[in-house]
Amino acid sequence: MNVYVQSNAADGNAVLAFRSDGSEIGAFATGGSGSGAGLGSQGAVTASADGDHLFAVNQGSATVSAFAVRPDGQLHLLDSAKTGENPVSVATRGSGVYVVGGDTVTAFRLLGDRLVTRGSRPLSSQGSNPAQIGVVPGGRALIVTERNTHTIDVLPLDAFGRPGPARATAATGVTPFGFAFGRGGVAVVSNASAGEAGGSTVTGYEVEHDRVRNTTPAIPTGQSAACWVAVDETGRYAYVANAGSGTMSSLAVQPDGSLKLIDGAAATPGGAPIDAAVGGHVLWVLDSSQGHVSAIPLKDGGRLGSPVVPISGLPAGTSGLAVIR
């Protein structure tokens, strides 16, 4: 099990790789520059489903980088390509690679060791402040959460993976942020609620054609600044990182697509937990404010064990988190 984050350094971005015991694999330059501060997004670093490739956004240089993942966990830089301004999140499915930055989605195809541009589309509104882009299970569409406009955009994908026009749906919940897909393709979306203390919620959605439909209205978690979401490998349980309260919430994804809160504070890693990912029956959580990654054991019924800290000493501004088995 290997864990990857990016330094996001303004003088040269790099992906930092670690084994699950915290030992270093290495630092691998992206060929671009970061912002020097946290990106405030989910999906700044993303692995392909087969674990053969890794992608990272470079906000300072407005590019995305593609790496090949070697069997020993080391990375080999393949290519980097221009995106829209201020890229914050990258998603992939098959050979398709999609980046959201500013108010634009840019599509690429990874052909061999090259990122080939497949077109771009504007989001549904200007000044949207997107938080994440993702590919809907089945690959028929992209969704993007927009914090400033409190909307969720759906962009259909054609047979060649090219995005169509964005269509907005008003979010059920304030400040939609991160998401992950649970069983049945349900998008579990956190709502940061503009940082209101104890005001965070979580909503479930299904994607229907070019819009989203609620499977669950906004569920209060009693936590603050719910931003990042991870789903276990069965799709039955979702975990939300609450940066404002230093906790992780757990929810069940029901067979009908509805969500049920299990525990608003299922674990307390402290600090300001942000990006999260599941791998090896462990919930991995990045806290750039403390410069470390916590490992939280997954227990039966969506419960969480006690956090430990195998990875520490990360630079300020570290963003993104991906786990490859």
Side-chain angles (χ1 to χ4, degrees), residues 20-22 269-270 284-285 287 290-296 306-314:
S20 58
D21 63 2
W284 302 87
V285 182
D287 183 350
Q290 299 189 88
H292 68 225
V293 174
S294 297
I296 307 175
S306 298
V308 297
V309 180
I311 299 170
S312 59
L314 298 175

Side-chain angles (χ1 to χ4, degrees), residues 129 131 145-151 171-178 189-196 201 226-227:
N129 193 17
T145 46
E146 299 182 6
R147 288 170 283 191
N148 285 358
T149 57
H150 311 296
T151 59
T172 303
V174 178
T175 324
F177 198 106
V189 180
S190 65
N191 302 300
S193 300
E196 177 188 352
T201 62
C227 296

Side-chain angles (χ1 to χ4, degrees), residues 24-320:
E24 294 185 23
I25 297 173
F28 304 92
T30 66
S33 58
S35 68
L39 294 178
S41 64
Q42 180 163 330
V45 178
T46 299
S48 60
D50 59 12
D52 288 343
H53 294 94
L54 191 85
F55 305 91
V57 297
N58 304 297
Q59 191 177 69
S61 55
T63 58
V64 61
S65 299
F67 293 88
V69 182
R70 292 173 170 162
D72 61 0
Q74 296 199 43
L75 302 179
H76 172 65
L77 179 63
L78 298 175
D79 196 15
S80 61
K82 293 296 289 185
T83 66
E85 294 182 1
N86 301 316
V88 295
S89 180
V90 54
T92 182
R93 185 178 189 274
S95 63
V97 181
Y98 306 93
V99 180
V100 65
D103 297 309
T104 303
V105 169
T106 308
F108 302 90
R109 188 175 180 186
L110 184 63
L111 292 176
D113 60 357
R114 297 297 305 276
L115 285 166
V116 178
T117 304
R118 304 291 287 172
S120 63
R121 288 282 184 175
L123 295 177
S124 60
S125 57
Q126 297 295 302
S128 59
N129 193 17
Q132 185 182 355
I133 189 169
V135 185
V136 172
R140 66 187 183 280
L142 305 171
I143 66 172
V144 177
T145 46
E146 299 182 6
R147 288 170 283 191
N148 285 358
T149 57
H150 311 296
T151 59
I152 298 175
D153 273 4
V154 177
L155 294 84
L157 294 174
D158 67 15
F160 300 99
R162 296 174 300 204
R167 178 165 181 169
T169 302
T172 303
V174 178
T175 324
F177 198 106
F179 59 87
F181 295 102
R183 59 176 169 179
V186 172
V188 181
V189 180
S190 65
N191 302 300
S193 300
E196 177 188 352
S200 292
T201 62
V202 182
T203 307
Y205 298 93
E206 286 182 345
V207 179
E208 295 182 337
H209 305 296
D210 57 355
R211 66 185 69 194
V212 293
R213 180 186 69 82
N214 274 133
T215 63
T216 305
I219 299 174
T221 63
Q223 307 302 302
S224 303
C227 296
W228 291 264
V229 182
V231 170
D232 79 338
E233 293 170 354
T234 71
R236 296 176 61 187
Y237 300 105
Y239 307 95
V240 180
N242 305 298
S245 50
T247 58
M248 302 297 299
S249 299
S250 61
L251 300 98
V253 183
Q254 309 280 19
D256 63 357
S258 63
L259 305 179
K260 180 181 179 181
L261 181 66
I262 297 171
D263 191 342
T268 306
I274 51 173
D275 269 296
V278 169
H281 303 293
V282 172
L283 177 63
W284 302 87
V285 182
L286 170 66
D287 183 350
S288 58
S289 72
Q290 299 189 88
H292 68 225
V293 174
S294 297
I296 307 175
L298 302 183
K299 296 191 170 184
D300 292 341
R303 296 178 300 117
L304 294 173
S306 298
V308 297
V309 180
I311 299 170
S312 59
L314 298 175
T318 298
S319 301

